[in-house]
Amino acid sequence: MQAVATGVVALVLAACGGGSGGGAELASGPGGGPVSTVAPVSTLPATGTGNISRPACEHLSREEVARLLGNGVTAGQEAGRSCFWGTTVDRGTSATLTVVAPAPGRAADECTTQRNSLPSEATADSVSGVGNSAVWVWQPISVLLQGNFLACWDNAVVLVFLSGERDQASLRNAASGMAQTVHARL
């Protein structure tokens, strides 16, 4: 997990121009478009004691993620209980999905723990109509906008992390759609 966290820090530093290369490393994807080679992964603490019956990448297909994001994405890459889909187009959006099953009767506590793990320096907006509670926490990082959509239900806590060059309302809507789609399948 430390290697994954190091990759996230490297991506943020590169995006801000603070890495040794001065920019994020990109590889060519289908059609010659750039593909990020570093997968940002949720840093949510591993407090959930429940068990989601399948890997995170099996909750959404590559095609569904592409449709929800509005751009092509790479095949999902598992990292613990998270799944990362990188963008295959310039100025596209990438996504990371994390699903936690709280222990019976512990959903509110799990939600609070996960909410407290979100970036405190970012803008936080409560979102009504999704689960028992939901929040969109977002911030600009260089030319990117990054956001975490945390939705909590009695049987699951779903986090969607998005990073792209779109406006925050579009990213929030895509993240909300991903979270609700995943929860409907649990």
Side-chain angles (χ1 to χ4, degrees), residues 110-136:
E110 181 71 25
C111 188
T112 298
T113 298
Q114 304 301 349
R115 187 181 304 255
N116 290 339
S117 300
L118 297 173
S120 61
E121 69 279 1
T123 302
D125 299 322
S126 291
V127 178
S128 61
V130 180
N132 299 337
S133 68
V135 63
W136 168 244

Side-chain angles (χ1 to χ4, degrees), residues 83-186:
C83 185
F84 171 74
W85 293 272
T87 181
T88 60
V89 298
D90 190 26
R91 299 181 154 229
T93 300
S94 61
T96 302
L97 169 69
T98 305
V99 183
V100 178
R106 304 285 300 166
D109 292 338
E110 181 71 25
C111 188
T112 298
T113 298
Q114 304 301 349
R115 187 181 304 255
N116 290 339
S117 300
L118 297 173
S120 61
E121 69 279 1
T123 302
D125 299 322
S126 291
V127 178
S128 61
V130 180
N132 299 337
S133 68
V135 63
W136 168 244
V137 179
W138 59 278
Q139 62 187 345
I141 306 283
S142 187
V143 298
L144 300 174
L145 187 94
Q146 294 184 339
N148 290 282
F149 190 92
L150 176 66
C152 303
W153 287 270
D154 291 336
N155 65 335
V157 175
V158 178
L159 178 82
V160 177
F161 171 81
L162 299 182
S163 181
E165 292 187 45
R166 293 178 35 204
D167 65 274
Q168 72 85 17
S170 296
L171 289 181
R172 182 184 73 191
N173 289 339
S176 175
M178 288 178 74
Q180 291 180 75
T181 299
V182 166
H183 182 259
R185 295 178 178 169
L186 296 178

Side-chain angles (χ1 to χ4, degrees), residues 51-89:
N51 183 20
I52 297 293
S53 62
R54 55 187 186 195
C57 287
E58 292 182 15
H59 291 286
L60 294 169
S61 71
R62 178 181 184 177
E63 293 75 23
E64 289 172 314
V65 174
R67 181 181 51 76
L68 287 162
L69 295 180
N71 59 254
V73 295
T74 61
Q77 300 171 19
E78 290 285 338
R81 60 184 164 167
S82 298
C83 185
F84 171 74
W85 293 272
T87 181
T88 60
V89 298

